Amino acid sequence: IPLNIGREGSNIQYFNGAIDEVRIWNAGRSQQQIESSMTNFLSLPQTDLVAYYNFNQGVATADNREITQLKDVSGSGLNGALNTFSQLNGNTTSNWVSGSIPHTTPIRRTSL
């Protein structure tokens, strides 16, 4: 089953915002574990980490048309396809942003 990041199922309802990192684990994470690492890059390898997308391969305000995959840096090799990014449509304004996205509350799902 495909996993969509920033899109709700098969509906054409896309997330209107910025996503900095997505981590997928094959074991439950406690609130304390999530909060203690949510503002830091993970040191790898990590036990139970299935996929880790840090969205760092593009360059903000640059032409990134050659980037068509989102790299999984966990070591699992579960790269994703980038869809609806403006650089994929010939626009030279990048969807990649510099720095990190400020956040204070983690989004936590217990099941998909």
Side-chain angles (χ1 to χ4, degrees):
I1 299 173
L3 171 68
N4 295 303
I5 300 170
R7 185 176 108 178
E8 183 182 338
S10 61
N11 296 330
I12 308 299
Q13 295 178 349
Y14 296 100
F15 176 73
N16 184 18
I19 299 172
D20 186 32
E21 285 196 1
V22 174
R23 302 166 185 181
I24 300 172
W25 304 85
N26 66 1
R29 308 285 291 169
S30 70
Q31 190 71 24
Q32 191 270 334
Q33 286 174 307
I34 294 169
E35 289 178 1
S36 70
S37 68
M38 74 181 197
T39 58
N40 303 311
F41 289 114
L42 293 178
S43 59
L44 299 172
Q46 290 278 323
T47 302
D48 298 323
L49 182 64
V50 174
Y52 181 20
Y53 306 103
N54 60 18
F55 292 82
N56 286 353
Q57 72 253 32
V59 177
T61 69
D63 183 348
N64 294 288
R65 282 180 275 188
E66 74 284 357
I67 301 173
T68 60
Q69 282 193 333
L70 180 60
K71 291 182 184 175
D72 170 16
V73 297
S74 73
S76 299
L78 298 172
N79 296 331
L82 294 172
N83 297 303
T84 71
F85 265 43
S86 63
Q87 78 267 14
L88 299 178
N89 298 321
N91 187 333
T92 58
T93 302
S94 176
N95 288 117
W96 301 99
V97 297
S98 59
S100 61
I101 308 302
H103 56 284
T104 56
T105 305
I107 297 171
R108 181 177 174 196
R109 282 197 154 171
T110 56
S111 63
L112 293 176

